[in-house]
Amino acid sequence: MTIEEILAGESKNVEFKVQRPKDSSKYMKTVVAFSNGEGGRIVFGVDDGSREVVGIPKDIVFSEIDAITTAISDSCEPVVIPDVYLQSIDDKTIIIAEISAGKQRPYYIKSLGIKDGTYIRVSGTSRPAGRDLTAEMYYEDEGRSYDKVIRKDLTVIDEEIAKLCHQMKEVAVANAKSKAQAETIRDVTKNVLLSWGLLAEAEDGSIHPTNGYVFLLGKDEFLSQIQCGMFKGTTRAVFIDKREYSGPLWKQIDDAFQFILRNIHLGARLEGIYRKDIYELPPDSIRELIINAVMNCSFLQNSRIQVAIYDDRLEITSPGGLMPGVTLDKMKEGYSKIRNRALAHAFSYMNLIEAWGSGIPKLLESMREYGLRDPEFCDLEIGFRINLYRKVEEEKSKTAQSELVIEDEPDRGHSENKKEPKRSRKGAEKEPKRSRKRELKDGAEIRKDILQCMQENPAITQLKLMEEFELTRKQVQIIIKDLQMNGFVERQGSNRSGKWVVKKEV
């Protein structure tokens, strides 16, 4: 312990005590919290308020060491053996009790019992773990996976199992990278689901679903949901859009992914004679982060996966902190440890996962290729959050012309005889009917305005939308396809004489 570390104050792994409290429970909470986490040090002889080194009187230091060691050994279950030693700073003696991360979690204060005496460390304080976190420690420390726990209160019939197997194969084929890969995908059977841990056989031979089966199909209406929100500014004070997705997890992942793509900026660049749409954040990495959030979600906790979009960042939060042995540095190097192993088998089969542990290194590389700052990884102890930072407004203004509303070139995919709408000088000088043209900076805003046009004029044609927004035919077609696929608008009647029916707002 250095003077610089003392001046830095208390933290997740350091706590100060001006002297040894007579009531040992006042620091025993910290002891079990350190044991249940990454370990830490309790420093006796430092004022936690002023950070002044007051020291322990030299004539009692050895008796204090014995008292601290005995109290810790006698008060905790399982037994915690601390490393207690002396150190001199500015000619004053302090006592440091170093607590290692435990291997038999959960640790708790024996006199309070496991229910009330289990503590964890959160943001420099020791707080009760609660029943759910305590149970999670049991599963993790015993090498078990909560999603493989059998649900004897539920039954499942063969028809339902067959339906799930069929759905999973359809998803696997749809996510295949090539026709050759799709042709190699085998059928899923009841026995395969049993081997993965999505189904389990009871002692009487009956087949029951496990938690993983329940979560995969979204049968738990509260926990098996992904919450998505878009906010104005950089805080959660003002909602712009809010969605809660339910149903099978693979569908929720896609719904959350599409929600993000609808609400981040879409630009473009020319590659030779072709135009390529470019999102401001790497889509493949976004999708993989959502998948990882599901695979490592602690379904024991009374909370859900959350996706939040702010003016300056995309935030993905998953209940459940880092798994034992996992650190932020190891993650960046590709180290992977899965919390929900039954779900991981299912996701791997459905081609939702490419390679174990590759997600974070690829994310770092992609963000740098996009010219963005590195992601921010936040270990919240009871949750894990990743922030992907967007470009600030000043940067956006420099590239606004290269985004969705860009070139006036004709669509290369159509015949040269089909002319784009003419723009006369006289027309260019007029104020547009709607002030939505060149000043628009992002795809989300354009989609909203096109949807409004369809609502006001259901018979509006693609040509009129091209004129209204100064877009190419291809750009209009991309936007309309996106609105239709996500259920915002429906086409009734023929292309020539039909109309648009707006189902919901963007």
Side-chain angles (χ1 to χ4, degrees), residues 237-450:
V238 180
F239 264 112
I240 295 177
D241 192 9
K242 180 181 179 181
R243 305 291 168 93
E244 290 187 357
Y245 296 111
S246 57
L249 281 179
W250 63 82
K251 183 178 182 300
Q252 289 187 50
I253 289 168
D254 189 59
D255 288 339
F257 178 58
Q258 294 300 329
F259 177 89
I260 294 172
L261 295 189
R262 288 196 303 273
N263 290 292
I264 62 176
H265 300 296
L266 176 64
R269 70 180 178 213
L270 292 177
E271 294 185 354
I273 63 172
Y274 299 101
R275 175 190 183 280
K276 183 176 181 180
D277 291 326
I278 302 293
Y279 285 97
E280 63 171 316
L281 295 170
D284 289 345
S285 294
I286 291 172
R287 186 169 180 266
E288 189 154 351
L289 288 178
I290 299 171
I291 293 169
N292 285 341
V294 173
M295 286 200 305
N296 290 297
C297 173
S298 172
F299 289 104
L300 273 162
Q301 294 188 34
N302 195 27
S303 55
R304 308 174 189 176
I305 295 167
Q306 293 187 335
V307 173
I309 303 174
Y310 305 89
D311 288 353
D312 65 335
R313 70 192 186 279
L314 165 65
E315 181 182 279
I316 298 175
T317 307
S318 179
L322 293 177
M323 294 283 286
V326 180
T327 65
L328 296 180
D329 289 338
K330 286 183 178 180
M331 283 179 56
K332 294 175 184 178
E333 294 172 358
Y335 182 80
S336 176
K337 201 170 184 180
I338 304 300
R339 178 173 270 116
N340 298 303
R341 296 197 286 274
L343 291 180
H345 281 298
F347 282 14
S348 180
Y349 169 80
M350 291 187 288
N351 291 314
L352 293 171
I353 304 167
E354 289 189 20
W356 299 109
S358 65
I360 298 303
K362 282 184 179 178
L363 170 65
L364 293 169
E365 182 180 348
S366 296
M367 293 294 282
R368 290 162 188 164
E369 287 177 355
Y370 273 61
L372 301 170
R373 60 178 280 189
D374 282 352
E376 182 180 18
F377 303 97
C378 307
D379 182 7
L380 309 176
E381 292 293 327
I382 57 174
F384 186 71
R385 175 176 295 160
I386 296 181
N387 292 323
L388 304 187
Y389 283 91
R390 310 167 71 181
K391 289 185 178 179
V392 296
E393 287 300 324
E394 300 87 70
E395 293 175 300
K396 291 176 190 172
S397 63
K398 293 178 184 178
T399 57
Q401 295 302 318
S402 67
E403 295 193 353
L404 185 59
V405 184
I406 54 168
E407 75 276 359
D408 294 329
E409 297 182 9
D411 181 13
R412 303 284 183 181
H414 290 76
S415 169
E416 302 242 347
N417 294 327
K418 293 184 179 180
K419 296 181 180 180
E420 295 291 334
K422 294 181 179 179
R423 301 178 180 87
S424 67
R425 181 176 299 277
K426 180 179 178 182
E429 292 171 355
K430 291 181 179 180
E431 182 70 20
K433 187 184 299 182
R434 303 174 193 274
S435 57
R436 314 176 185 166
K437 297 190 178 180
R438 291 272 178 206
E439 72 275 11
L440 293 177
K441 296 181 180 179
D442 60 83
E445 188 176 350
I446 292 175
R447 283 162 171 74
K448 290 179 182 178
D449 288 339
I450 285 181

Side-chain angles (χ1 to χ4, degrees), residues 3 6 45-47 50-55 89-90 92-94:
I3 191 65
I6 291 174
V46 176
D47 190 317
S50 65
R51 301 176 190 174
E52 177 187 359
V53 179
V54 297
I89 295 181
D90 294 338
K92 294 178 181 177
T93 302
I94 61 174

Side-chain angles (χ1 to χ4, degrees), residues 220-236:
D220 188 315
E221 294 183 358
F222 179 80
L223 292 177
S224 300
Q225 284 189 350
I226 299 179
Q227 294 180 318
C228 296
M230 184 176 182
F231 302 89
K232 183 177 181 180
T234 59
T235 68
R236 297 196 178 194

Side-chain angles (χ1 to χ4, degrees), residues 433-473:
K433 187 184 299 182
R434 303 174 193 274
S435 57
R436 314 176 185 166
K437 297 190 178 180
R438 291 272 178 206
E439 72 275 11
L440 293 177
K441 296 181 180 179
D442 60 83
E445 188 176 350
I446 292 175
R447 283 162 171 74
K448 290 179 182 178
D449 288 339
I450 285 181
L451 200 64
Q452 184 180 339
C453 278
M454 291 174 168
Q455 195 165 28
E456 295 172 357
N457 180 11
I460 194 167
T461 64
Q462 289 188 15
L463 184 62
K464 287 292 184 183
L465 290 172
M466 290 160 60
E467 293 175 347
E468 178 75 15
F469 295 95
E470 292 186 352
L471 300 174
T472 66
R473 185 182 299 275

Side-chain angles (χ1 to χ4, degrees), residues 491-495 497-499:
R491 182 70 178 177
Q492 293 185 354
S494 67
N495 290 335
S497 59
K499 65 178 182 178

